[in-house]
Amino acid sequence: FLTVGLDGEERAAIGPTPRGLGILGVLISDPRPLRLTDLAAHPASTGFPANHPSMTSFLGVPVMVHGRVFGNLYLCDKLGGGPFTDSDETLCVALATAAGVAIDNARLHSRVAELVLVEERDRIARDLHDTVIQRLFAIGLSLQGVASMSMPGEMSERLEEAVDELDTTVREIRSAIFELHSTRVGRSSLRRAATELVVESARSLGFEPSLYCEGPLDQIDPTLAEHL
């Protein structure tokens, strides 16, 4: 049996000396191979739940990821009977090591994919802000200048309508940019996200605004952070 997931928040919740987890808890608090001829004789044994298959002999090893316990691999009751041997333990340790490497690789690939996605979102947001919005804004200013000249009322009204449509489009694009950044705000420090937005705004403003933060910003609810 391979049990995983006893890491991060779950590991912190369990604490350094798990209680009520029986023999498997021993492998977490003392991550070394454990061989037993009789599970029930161990002081950490808590018995089995109803309808659980009978188990007597035991061989368990921790699954380690970067020196931390991620789970464990354990075997019970060899086919043909008899206690587990040194060779069994060596093989079990090798399998647990391979499992740890596979878990670490899976985590690495996941992080790389997430980083690529975030970078792509940021690139799209920058292109929308630095190129599309700026051009639309410039076109809107030009149309406003033309509309202020002497011309028939109907033409002036149509130009004003076009300017209003451009303003609406700019607002929609800005909303899309904030949506692209919302994942970053939810996953990272709110204080850091606010600082990044101030730095980004400096490009269009021509100066970098001052930012003053007070209080535990990073403890704000993620949904509220997105609205902010």
Side-chain angles (χ1 to χ4, degrees):
F1 299 91
L2 175 65
T3 62
V4 297
L6 297 174
D7 194 14
E9 293 181 356
E10 294 179 10
R11 179 71 174 83
I14 292 172
T17 306
R19 294 183 178 180
L21 291 181
I23 304 299
L24 299 184
V26 175
L27 290 174
I28 299 172
S29 60
D30 186 14
R32 293 181 298 174
L34 178 64
R35 271 191 282 166
L36 303 172
T37 56
D38 185 4
L39 276 169
H42 194 280
S45 177
T46 57
F48 299 106
N51 301 316
H52 192 284
S54 175
M55 293 180 176
T56 304
S57 60
F58 175 89
L59 169 59
V61 297
V63 176
M64 309 291 290
V65 178
H66 290 297
R68 299 180 60 188
V69 180
F70 187 86
N72 53 63
L73 174 67
Y74 67 94
L75 310 172
C76 292
D77 297 340
K78 290 180 62 173
L79 290 176
F84 288 102
T85 64
D86 291 341
S87 297
D88 296 329
E89 181 178 318
T90 300
L91 178 60
C92 197
V93 169
L95 291 174
T97 301
V101 171
I103 292 168
D104 188 34
N105 286 339
R107 283 178 160 187
L108 179 61
H109 286 302
S110 177
R111 288 169 183 166
V112 169
E114 182 178 345
L115 179 61
V116 169
L117 178 60
V118 170
E119 289 179 345
E120 183 64 14
R121 283 172 176 263
D122 284 346
R123 184 192 64 77
I124 294 173
R126 285 195 302 271
D127 289 345
L128 287 173
H129 182 274
D130 296 344
T131 304
V132 179
I133 285 184
Q134 300 300 335
R135 288 180 179 176
L136 289 175
F137 190 71
I139 292 171
L141 289 176
S142 298
L143 290 178
Q144 282 181 325
V146 173
S148 65
M149 299 177 182
S150 298
M151 59 178 57
E154 182 179 352
M155 184 176 295
S156 179
E157 289 177 1
R158 293 185 64 179
L159 283 174
E160 290 293 345
E161 290 176 359
V163 171
D164 290 340
E165 287 293 330
L166 285 174
D167 286 341
T168 300
T169 301
V170 168
R171 286 196 297 269
E172 291 175 350
I173 293 176
R174 282 176 175 160
S175 296
I177 291 174
F178 282 119
E179 190 69 26
L180 287 170
H181 282 304
S182 63
T183 303
R184 180 184 64 187
V185 173
R187 292 179 182 171
S188 66
S189 162
L190 176 58
R191 190 185 305 268
R192 178 179 176 183
T195 303
E196 290 175 352
L197 288 175
V198 167
V199 173
E200 290 172 9
S201 68
R203 288 197 294 256
S204 57
L205 293 174
F207 67 93
E208 185 170 327
S210 298
L211 174 66
Y212 299 95
C213 300
E214 182 177 351
L217 296 184
D218 298 337
Q219 297 178 19
I220 291 178
D221 179 83
T223 303
L224 182 60
E226 288 186 18
H227 287 298
L228 179 59

